[in-house]
Amino acid sequence: MHPTAPREDAQPSPLFAPLGDALLPAESRLSPAALRQRRSMKWATHGADVLPAFVAEMDLAPPLCVQEAIADVAARGDYGYPPHLATGAPHPLALAHAARMAALYGFEPEPDLGVPIADLVQALYLCVAAFTDPGDCVLIQEPIYPPIRAAVLDQGRQVATLPMRADGQGPALSAAELDARLPNRTRLLLLCNPHNPTGHVATRPQLDALASLCLSRDMVVVSDEIHADLVFDGRAHVPLAALGAEIGACTVTLVSGTKAFNIPALSAGLMQFGSGGLKQRFAARIPLKGLGLANAFGVAATLAGWARGDEWLDRLRTYLQAARDHVQRRLAAEVPGIGFAAPQATYMAWLDLSALDLPGPAASVLLERGRIALSAGERFLPGGTAFARFNFAAAPELLDPLVDALVAACRTR
């Protein structure tokens, strides 16, 4: 086993682990040995000598209310079709989402305009197909979660980019500068807020400027807000569709509990259309019957999390914020050449390793030298080989070994 890999009998690190154990809900703690038994992408992709810090999964168990909801479905063997298919009533996810938005933001979307989906990447692809034609241009942020770019290019559309600052402070262009650069056939904005991978949380003025730009160009907006529950430092997430009736009417909001409650494979989310006309426009090209069904376990888990998981989410945010700050302090002291801008949300950090002059793509070098797996920067940004995305949602015992491996890899010559 590689020196930086956790032993199965690993003891808590003298650095972060005691703090992490104090912050983390007891039901969410998983040992390194338990994690090594997992068959998810994060733990099954690499060998036992590699520490994984790439795919967006947390090394934490979901809250007890979520686990109980899943167990209840299984105990009842309740795997039948959902009743809304027969009654035509709004889906329970749409009703719960509307209530949650009202409670958190004073904004209540119409449940009848909420369409359950199994996969948010599928929704991205279908929205590109529904609201653009081949040769049209789609505006995306850059760097960006790779499926967002793929949803555009795979379908013969053109990409226009809004550069995001590597320091996590948001767009590198004003709305006026962006407007001057956009092709006339820009029909759609695929917005990721909170932003993956920089962790930026868009402010109200930033969103107002983007909304004005989209309205002036008659653009549809698809707003991916699946990390909205993971915002730090007292910041507030602002749903784009809540800015007003006009921008709301041309916005499709993508929401899910899969990131916040760490249930990504349970396949349940919601496309929330901001107006009946927008939903009809989508359905004219993409029959709603073709979307399939949200997974019954995922629906039950999401409903439980939204209804009873807020206290757990508060503790999770405290834990993730402490982990973020710990990593930032260690890297600043031990490898100051790494650009680490504390993300304002999510549990991923966008690392800039350009000052280290590594002899190849950063993620590849780190894997070879340190046996630590990060997401390759070039997947998020064309030519971005000097960047890597680091997942710090680690178990308490693993956070310092991850940083140790990263530091050792950067110091090796």
Side-chain angles (χ1 to χ4, degrees):
M1 181 173 287
H2 191 275
T4 60
R7 293 174 47 187
E8 297 301 318
D9 59 349
Q11 296 300 309
S13 162
L15 295 174
F16 182 75
L19 174 61
D21 283 333
L23 295 174
L24 193 63
E27 73 264 25
S28 296
R29 297 174 190 165
L30 295 172
S31 69
L35 290 166
R36 286 291 181 194
Q37 297 303 311
R38 289 191 158 193
R39 299 179 182 179
S40 68
M41 180 189 299
K42 184 173 184 181
W43 285 96
T45 298
H46 298 282
D49 66 330
V50 173
L51 287 172
F54 62 110
V55 68
E57 300 173 15
M58 294 188 282
D59 290 343
L60 312 172
L64 189 59
C65 64
V66 167
Q67 298 186 65
E68 289 173 343
I70 295 168
D72 182 58
V73 173
R76 288 183 284 109
D78 194 1
Y79 312 133
Y81 292 110
H84 79 280
L85 293 178
T87 65
H91 192 278
L93 282 179
L95 292 167
H97 173 247
R100 187 167 179 77
M101 293 299 98
L104 293 178
Y105 308 113
F107 158 65
E108 189 168 357
E110 295 183 39
D112 285 340
L113 301 181
V115 176
I117 52 174
D119 183 64
L120 295 180
V121 172
Q122 176 192 27
L124 289 167
Y125 272 78
L126 294 179
C127 283
V128 170
F131 299 123
T132 66
D133 294 312
D136 282 348
C137 194
V138 179
L139 175 61
I140 65 173
Q141 297 147 301
E142 193 175 77
I144 197 60
Y145 174 58
I148 289 181
R149 185 190 307 276
V152 180
L153 297 180
D154 287 353
Q155 300 185 83
R157 276 63 168 173
Q158 305 301 311
V159 164
T161 59
L162 171 57
M164 300 291 285
R165 292 171 51 174
D167 62 5
Q169 297 304 305
L173 297 175
S174 69
E177 291 171 325
L178 177 61
D179 189 26
R181 291 175 41 162
L182 286 183
N184 290 333
R185 288 182 62 182
T186 307
R187 311 296 190 201
L188 177 67
L189 165 62
L190 297 182
L191 177 68
C192 185
N193 178 44
H195 182 247
N196 177 6
T198 70
H200 175 67
V201 177
T203 65
R204 175 66 184 258
Q206 288 170 340
L207 290 173
D208 281 334
L210 275 178
S212 295
L213 172 63
C214 291
L215 290 171
S216 71
R217 286 177 164 264
D218 195 26
M219 293 166 59
V220 174
V221 183
V222 176
S223 186
D224 171 356
E225 302 184 7
I226 65 171
H227 288 102
D229 284 320
L230 302 177
V231 175
F232 306 133
D233 305 313
R235 291 181 176 84
H237 170 71
V238 180
L240 181 71
L243 295 183
E246 195 173 9
I247 187 62
C250 61
T251 298
V252 182
T253 306
L254 305 183
V255 297
S256 173
T258 55
K259 295 304 181 188
F261 301 115
N262 203 33
I263 50 173
L266 291 190
S267 302
L270 194 73
M271 297 175 65
Q272 180 65 53
F273 292 88
S275 64
L278 193 62
K279 183 179 178 182
Q280 291 171 6
R281 185 176 165 188
F282 178 92
R285 286 198 174 184
I286 311 295
L288 297 182
K289 290 289 187 181
L291 294 177
L293 297 174
N295 181 276
F297 286 102
V299 171
T302 302
L303 292 175
W306 283 351
R308 303 190 299 278
D310 282 337
E311 182 179 349
W312 183 88
L313 274 175
D314 287 341
R315 295 188 65 181
L316 173 67
R317 282 187 289 265
T318 300
Y319 174 81
L320 293 177
Q321 185 172 316
R324 176 203 67 180
D325 294 346
H326 180 75
V327 173
Q328 185 179 40
R329 285 191 297 268
R330 281 203 58 189
L331 292 183
E334 298 174 49
V335 192
I338 295 180
F340 182 114
Q344 300 170 351
T346 81
Y347 46 81
M348 281 83 70
W350 184 238
L351 304 183
D352 181 355
L353 297 100
S354 56
L356 302 183
D357 195 26
L358 297 175
S364 298
V365 172
L366 296 175
L367 180 61
E368 179 182 352
R369 289 180 175 179
R371 310 307 291 162
I372 178 173
L374 274 62
S375 298
E378 57 268 30
R379 295 189 62 224
F380 299 80
L381 176 69
T385 56
F387 293 87
R389 192 187 70 174
F390 175 74
N391 178 346
F392 56 83
E397 297 92 336
L398 294 183
L399 189 62
D400 279 308
L402 282 168
V403 180
D404 291 342
L406 179 57
V407 169
C410 292
R411 287 178 172 173
T412 301
R413 294 293 180 184

